[in-house]
């Protein structure tokens, strides 16, 4: 993580909504521990994992849209090598999401 | 969730290891809240989301293998409609994992 | 690919249906070449890629179910190291599908 | 497909390279038909499906980067409702890729 990444970036338009979604996902992680501890039926556990994964990807896609809208849009306005770098960085992050 | 699913199924060979992995995933969910709250750089947040998704899918794949090894293998030994139903149910769960 | 893999395995219950689906997927690959050659709108191309990916995964899930039903079920009946190996091999293949 | 989508968009910087990749993917689709027809070992078929899916996603990610770089960057420069619409459209396409 470079120095650039150390300060607040101010790109998240509705921070409280994202925090609420992440708290719900944290709750799903705790719920899964309970299901595993009680050895609930495996298929029901897998269904919960799929729901949790979808919720997590949905948060990621929302943050990505904000990032494209603010950071990448700003860099594209200025153009040049900085714009290419931001775009490439965003595409790499999308590739990781697609493959994970 | 049917009545069948309400008792312990005893198919998880190393429950403590799965619980430990889920506690780490819960910790990742809390770490992401902190990153969002501090508006860390979006790409770093997305990298964490990808890591958390991979960890979650890895837990799912482990549980699925145990399920195939115990519940499905047992049903296949007996054969008939019960075996087909178990196999179809497992395939549906795999499809949800592939698509989530 | 081991010698074991060189002969016909006879596990596909409806081969003609799978061939038909794969020919349709091949047609989608040709359609995408036409769209790219004519520089159709990128989003429309991406929508076609998503449809083609889903069709391909659906074929994979069908074949996987047949494999579990025939090859893996057979190995599980016999039990022992062979059963463990088949199950592990299937789980690895599922993991590749989930991650691709 | 709107009228807007009917003409060439000129955003693909290296069309021949994409066409070559799509021809290779078409070849993979034909190879899979041969494997299914000869009932090759299921796991080997699934490995090929995973490779083909990855190749297809890689094409999609490349085209997406070009789209962001040209169409979306252009709209963002102009700003306003058009920029928001383009960004939202791109995010929807990314979501379909992530989920397919």
């Amino acid at each position: 993580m470079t120095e650039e990444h150390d300060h607040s970036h101010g790109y998240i338009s509705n921070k409280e909504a994202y925090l609420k979604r992440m708290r719900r996902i944290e709750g799903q992680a705790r719920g899964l521990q309970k299901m595993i501890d009680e050895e609930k039926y495996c298929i029901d556990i897998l269904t919960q994992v799929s729901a949790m994964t979808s919720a997590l990807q949905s948060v990621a896609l929302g943050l990505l849209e904000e990032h494209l809208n603010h950071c990448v849009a700003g860099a594209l306005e200025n153009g040049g090598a900085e714009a290419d770098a931001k775009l490439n960085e965003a595409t790499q992050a999308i590739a990781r999401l697609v493959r994970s």
Side-chain angles (χ1 to χ4, degrees), chain A residues 23-90:
Chain A
R23 278 193 296 270
R24 205 178 305 133
I25 289 167
E26 187 195 334
Q28 289 177 298
R30 263 195 304 274
L32 277 164
Q33 287 167 62
K34 193 166 177 294
M35 288 180 89
I36 291 169
D37 193 42
E38 297 175 353
E39 302 210 21
K40 291 295 183 201
Y41 190 53
C42 177
I43 298 296
D44 294 330
I45 296 180
L46 294 180
T47 299
Q48 276 305 103
V49 169
S50 293
M52 187 177 156
T53 305
S54 293
L56 199 51
Q57 286 178 338
S58 180
V59 165
L61 289 164
L63 290 172
L64 176 69
E65 186 169 6
E66 306 235 28
H67 176 69
L68 291 172
N69 206 9
H70 296 102
C71 311
V72 179
L76 290 174
E77 264 175 63
N78 298 330
E82 166 78 1
D84 287 351
K86 282 285 176 203
L87 203 55
N88 191 259
E89 184 189 55

